[in-house]
Amino acid sequence: MANFTFVCSECGARYAESAVRYVCPICSTRQVPGGVTRGVLRVELAEIPERWPAARAHDPGALVVFLPVASPVSLPPCRVGGTPLLPVPGLRRELGMPHLWVKDETRNPSGSTKDRASLLVVAKAIEYGVDTVATASTGNAASALAAVAAAAGVRAVVFVPALAPPAKLAQAAMYGARVIPVAGSYDEAFELSIAACEKFGWYNRNTAFNPFTIEGKKTVALEMAADLKPDAPDVVLVPTGDGVVVSGVAKGFADLVHGGLLHRRPRLLAVQPVGSPAIATALRSGATTVSPVTGAASVADSLVVNAPRNAMMALREVRASGGTGVLVSDEQILDAMDRLARTTGVFAEPAAAAALAGLFVALEEGLVARDERAVLLVTGTGLKDVPAAMRRVSIPKPVPNDLAAVERLLEESRR
Ligand SMILES: *Cc1c(COP(=O)(O)O)cnc(C)c1O
Ligand SMILES: [Zn+2]
């Protein structure tokens, strides 16, 4: 028997495990085209561990007792998670925040937090005996699925907006995925991928549509809690697009509270670009539902979405944590990318640097106090988007190959 049940996050209906279970069949009938996804399912574990596993949280497979898999053997042989929680002394000093950490998710195999969701989805595909997994993606979910599928010997098909950063597409193609660029937005690629999965019998990894994406991402919260125990962080800043990462973080902390391993959940701040603001706007306005936007756009391509897929769950979970939404401009994101790299040694893509941009805004708005225990979730590597980095740094012209020329150069820059 499965060690978990699916529970609809909207109507509370419960469903047993099944290889093709995606969203709640009742609530999904209320789905409107171009709207946020209805009837997203939550995984409810039959039993939550009441003790931390004896193995360190950073050992591969140590946290599998918290996951809805039949056996640890199902996990693909891929070193996902176990990323460092960095104390960032330089940034602490600059901000006057003595208890600040960076959770460095750039260290995942394909370079982003998306690897966590892909690991669990591919593990389930293996348990279900499916040989092809497909996803729609703004880029990172595609390269993550491609990487984990390659490690597991499973086929991957990825639907991406044709304008996704080339590095992400190259990565997915290099890992051997079938890359299908779609002439349209991420939202359009999302619908197309669902139709293709139905037609060709592929297993769908689409974020939130596949409930294991939320459950897979919760391991990032388990690791933070394990590293900081017995004290939870007070606040975690989470770059947000579809709202699956922030909901996964919430789920991880909720499981720990439920099992008695943590006494309270940290506040979550969902950071979104002003150009792609659906969830943060709803959080800040007190709305009970999330309205899609049109023409979402930002330098933080991984956060760009008109109708966030996990909007309703994100709204509820962020509020339940005592947190809210934070909006940041593209200029603030690029400044933060630069600042983060210089003060911590972590080179983040714009979406990931949004966590630091959000901290500056949150400090100004009084949403975070400087003596709090705060964690920035830095979700993906800057190596995937070098053109964005080049908007803040420049490489000098070459010098002649002689020492005097170097000396002159150093003198000039001193002036
Ligand atoms: C996908 C992604 C996010 C946001 O996650 P959502 O689940 O869409 O909210 C943040 N940062 C990076 C680097 C991502 O790839
Ligand atoms: Zn339902």
Side-chain angles (χ1 to χ4, degrees), residues 259-278:
L261 287 169
L262 204 64
H263 9 265
R264 62 180 167 81
R265 299 167 59 166
R267 282 185 342 271
L268 301 180
L269 294 179
V271 184
Q272 287 200 298
V274 289
S276 180

Side-chain angles (χ1 to χ4, degrees), residues 5-15 21-31 35-44 190 206-215 242-244 247-248 307-314 316-317:
T5 311
F6 290 117
V7 182
C8 175
S9 61
E10 286 188 54
C11 74
R14 304 173 72 84
Y15 302 98
R21 187 75 72 197
Y22 297 118
V23 287
C24 172
I26 304 164
C27 296
S28 60
T29 59
R30 292 201 299 272
Q31 180 72 48
V36 304
T37 302
R38 304 303 303 262
V40 175
L41 298 181
R42 240 173 106 91
V43 167
E44 193 178 286
F190 198 94
N206 279 13
T207 200
F209 184 71
N210 186 316
F212 296 120
T213 52
I214 303 164
E215 199 65 12
D242 280 308
V244 170
S247 301
R309 299 295 155 176
N310 206 29
M312 298 307 287
M313 193 188 290
R316 202 177 42 240
E317 294 298 327

Side-chain angles (χ1 to χ4, degrees), residues 345-402:
V346 177
F347 181 19
E349 69 165 82
L356 177 58
L359 177 59
F360 288 120
V361 172
L363 284 168
E364 254 166 48
E365 293 185 342
L367 295 170
V368 172
R370 290 185 195 264
D371 61 350
E372 286 194 293
R373 301 164 65 80
V375 179
L376 300 174
L377 187 60
V378 174
T379 43
T381 174
L383 288 173
K384 296 198 196 199
D385 194 354
V386 171
M390 295 306 284
R391 290 173 62 175
R392 278 298 179 277
V393 292
S394 59
I395 311 301
K397 285 198 295 291
V399 291
N401 181 15
D402 91 56

Side-chain angles (χ1 to χ4, degrees), residues 96-360:
M97 292 186 70
H99 313 292
L100 177 66
W101 287 269
V102 161
K103 178 67 169 163
D104 181 9
E105 287 285 283
T106 69
R107 306 288 197 96
N108 280 298
S110 85
S112 86
T113 305
K114 298 289 193 292
D115 287 347
R116 297 177 184 269
S118 294
L119 187 78
L120 183 56
V121 169
V122 172
K124 296 310 289 186
I126 290 168
E127 288 185 1
Y128 299 151
V130 184
D131 67 358
T132 304
V133 184
T135 196
S137 169
T138 58
N140 280 335
S143 51
L145 174 62
V148 176
V154 166
R155 274 199 287 273
V157 183
V158 301
F159 294 81
V160 287
L163 295 177
K168 296 178 182 180
L169 305 186
Q171 226 186 341
M174 187 58 84
Y175 289 128
R178 175 176 282 261
V179 176
I180 304 183
V182 178
S185 66
Y186 165 58
D187 296 79
E188 289 164 317
F190 198 94
E191 300 306 329
L192 185 60
S193 72
I194 292 177
C197 284
E198 272 171 24
K199 173 131 183 143
F200 305 117
W202 302 331
Y203 188 50
N204 190 310
R205 179 227 175 270
N206 279 13
T207 200
F209 184 71
N210 186 316
F212 296 120
T213 52
I214 303 164
E215 199 65 12
K217 285 175 175 173
K218 85 178 180 186
T219 55
V220 76
L222 302 179
E223 290 172 14
M224 283 184 235
D227 279 345
L228 293 178
K229 69 178 185 294
D231 301 310
D234 295 306
V235 59
V236 182
L237 289 103
V238 186
T240 299
D242 280 308
V244 170
V245 173
V246 76
S247 301
V249 168
K251 176 62 161 53
F253 288 123
D255 278 0
L256 293 174
V257 169
H258 199 146
L261 287 169
L262 204 64
H263 9 265
R264 62 180 167 81
R265 299 167 59 166
R267 282 185 342 271
L268 301 180
L269 294 179
V271 184
Q272 287 200 298
V274 289
S276 180
I279 293 175
T281 304
L283 279 164
R284 292 172 74 86
S285 73
T288 53
T289 183
V290 175
S291 309
V293 299
T294 51
S298 168
V299 65
D301 57 285
S302 303
L303 307 181
V304 172
V305 55
N306 288 325
R309 299 295 155 176
N310 206 29
M312 298 307 287
M313 193 188 290
L315 193 65
R316 202 177 42 240
E317 294 298 327
V318 171
R319 282 212 176 113
S321 78
T324 184
V326 175
L327 289 163
V328 292
S329 69
D330 279 7
E331 286 304 306
Q332 287 171 319
I333 289 172
L334 290 169
D335 287 346
M337 189 173 168
D338 191 8
R339 187 87 170 262
L340 183 72
R342 284 168 199 272
T343 58
T344 70
V346 177
F347 181 19
E349 69 165 82
L356 177 58
L359 177 59
F360 288 120

